[in-house]
Amino acid sequence: MTAEWIETIIVGGGAAGLSAAQSLGRARRGVLVLDTGRPRNRFADRMHNVLGHDGIAPGELLEIGRREAAGYGVRIEAVGVRAVREPRPDEAADGAGGPDRPGAGETRLVVELEDGRSIGTRAVILASGVTDVLPEIPGLAGQWGRGAAHCPYCHGWEVRGERIAVLGTSPMSLHQVQLLRQWTDELTVFTAGIGELADATRAELLARNIRLVDRPVAEVVGDEDGVLRSVRTDDGRMHLIDALFTFGAIRPNDDAIAALGLARTEAPFGSFLAVDPLGRTSHPRIWAVGNVVNPSAAVPLAVSSGSMAGGGVNLALAEADFARAAETAETAVVR
Ligand SMILES: Cc1cc2nc3c(=O)[nH]c(=O)nc-3n(C[C@H](O)[C@H](O)[C@H](O)COP(=O)(O)OP(=O)(O)OC[C@H]3O[C@@H](n4cnc5c(N)ncnc54)[C@H](O)[C@@H]3O)c2cc1C
């Protein structure tokens, strides 16, 4: 058997993972959250459009979440998960069972940690988020979460009416353009990364008084305090702006379960694990929630998906507990 065992393991302690942890902790399950501490929005000073928490620092929400989860007995460790795998026969354990002790045959999955430990468990929730791979333009990474962002609902209000620009990276950027026109009359679009614009699209954008710049962007420029001021195109021209919206490639942080070959779905932003409405993957013991399966999920949606999966895991374990009891009971019916 593995040296350590806990009833459920959550990979990732961001908004989704902590929400799942709270649900499971309150359901009196044993819960271990393993987290490398790099939430997607760690670059931003403030978080918006999150009911009840509008304007607080992203880290503050997670601090509250960790405190609340700990109050229900959830254990949180700052360590990465390398792999989730099926148990070997020798890892099947016996014993009386409980939140931190396996019952017979209850090691259904083994989680391997980056510090070399292996932990047995009944169920895993993957809540490991995504990595934003930004276009390699000098100055852009330093502005991410400050002068530059991807989500108008999160950061549009703060720059309403100002000089906003969209750095196009694919035809999907046109949706960002349509949205952002709602926040300002002074919208510039750097179109080089979008590809050739159809005449009708170009006419539509111009009809909405949007300024189109076709030259590729060479640099994103801040002042001596790092405040975003302009964008330089490859012809040397400086375009004064107050805020930049863009997105790059979005890579789900799901390497830890890659070897299991679970079903995936092709989405506009790439290939993501396929899940049902409760977050269950094609593996009956693995759920996945938050950005790792839905990169468009802002914090409230990440929280709600974690809560759903926490309930889903508890239900699945409760059903298994009843099935096991029925299998082993000597007296099944009392009249
Ligand atoms: C710049 C920026 C600003 C944003 N601002 C807002 C905003 O104002 N409002 C809003 O609603 N949304 C905002 N978002 C979106 C927000 O970041 C996501 O909705 C949210 O982070 C998703 O939560 P999550 O728990 O799915 O993933 P994350 O918050 O990314 O958490 C995943 C956690 O898993 C950990 N992890 C990854 N791999 C492993 C592993 N193998 N082992 C252990 N741990 C692992 C990571 O370190 C991280 O701590 C913003 C995003 C960006 C990029």
Side-chain angles (χ1 to χ4, degrees):
M1 61 184 284
T2 53
E4 288 182 69
W5 193 89
I6 184 128
E7 200 168 27
T8 65
I9 290 181
I10 299 174
V11 183
L18 289 175
S19 172
Q22 190 179 65
S23 293
L24 282 168
R26 286 178 55 80
R28 305 177 69 207
R29 297 290 177 187
V31 188
L32 173 61
V33 178
L34 301 160
D35 183 39
T36 46
R38 294 169 62 79
R40 186 183 187 189
N41 54 358
R42 64 190 179 281
F43 304 99
D45 289 343
R46 303 274 156 224
M47 191 180 67
H48 295 285
N49 212 21
V50 180
L51 189 67
H53 298 288
D54 189 58
I56 71 169
E60 201 180 326
L61 179 75
L62 300 186
E63 187 47 48
I64 294 168
R66 283 191 287 268
R67 218 173 33 240
E68 288 177 350
Y72 301 112
V74 171
R75 253 172 67 204
I76 301 175
E77 289 193 34
V79 56
V81 168
R82 200 155 35 91
V84 178
R85 62 169 173 81
E86 306 287 351
R88 293 187 294 263
D90 63 301
E91 289 168 326
D94 57 13
D100 54 7
R101 289 174 286 136
E106 280 190 353
T107 297
R108 301 303 189 128
L109 289 165
V110 175
V111 175
E112 294 184 349
L113 309 196
E114 281 168 1
D115 63 8
R117 288 145 67 205
S118 297
I119 308 180
T121 190
R122 294 177 76 185
V124 166
I125 298 180
L126 191 67
S128 44
V130 294
T131 301
D132 289 294
V133 185
L134 296 176
E136 286 191 17
I137 294 175
L140 177 58
Q143 288 295 339
W144 192 237
R146 304 166 67 203
H150 72 293
C151 167
Y153 298 101
C154 305
H155 302 290
W157 172 264
E158 284 60 45
V159 292
R160 64 196 182 282
E162 296 186 14
R163 291 168 300 191
I164 298 179
V166 172
L167 170 58
T169 53
S170 85
M172 298 263 295
S173 300
L174 290 169
H175 296 297
Q176 227 176 10
V177 174
Q178 285 179 327
L179 289 179
L180 280 158
R181 184 62 180 79
Q182 174 63 18
W183 274 269
T184 188
D185 295 336
E186 293 195 55
L187 184 60
T188 300
V189 183
F190 296 96
T191 63
I194 299 178
E196 193 62 34
L197 290 185
D199 288 347
T201 305
R202 189 173 283 274
E204 228 176 52
L205 297 174
L206 293 173
R208 288 286 280 144
N209 296 323
I210 293 170
R211 187 169 158 253
L212 302 179
V213 178
D214 294 337
R215 304 293 309 198
V217 170
E219 187 183 3
V220 175
V221 183
D223 64 15
E224 61 277 9
D225 296 323
V227 177
L228 176 65
R229 294 294 179 207
S230 57
V231 158
R232 181 170 63 79
T233 41
D234 70 343
D235 55 1
R237 285 186 59 200
M238 301 296 277
H239 306 262
L240 298 181
I241 60 166
D242 302 304
L244 184 66
F245 284 78
T246 191
F247 54 81
I250 298 176
R251 199 167 53 75
N253 300 325
D254 57 14
D255 290 353
I257 50 90
L260 294 171
L262 307 189
R264 303 185 75 85
T265 180
E266 298 308 312
F269 287 107
S271 167
F272 291 83
L273 285 167
V275 289
D276 75 7
L278 289 184
R280 201 177 206 161
T281 67
S282 58
H283 190 294
R285 300 274 168 174
I286 301 178
W287 282 250
V289 293
N291 276 179
V292 72
V293 285
N294 178 5
S296 305
V299 168
L301 285 167
V303 168
S304 83
S305 68
S307 185
M308 292 290 278
V313 169
N314 182 52
L315 175 63
L317 296 185
E319 285 170 353
D321 293 339
F322 273 75
R324 173 181 293 274
E327 272 169 26
T328 54
E330 283 171 15
T331 312
V333 182
V334 179
R335 291 181 198 280

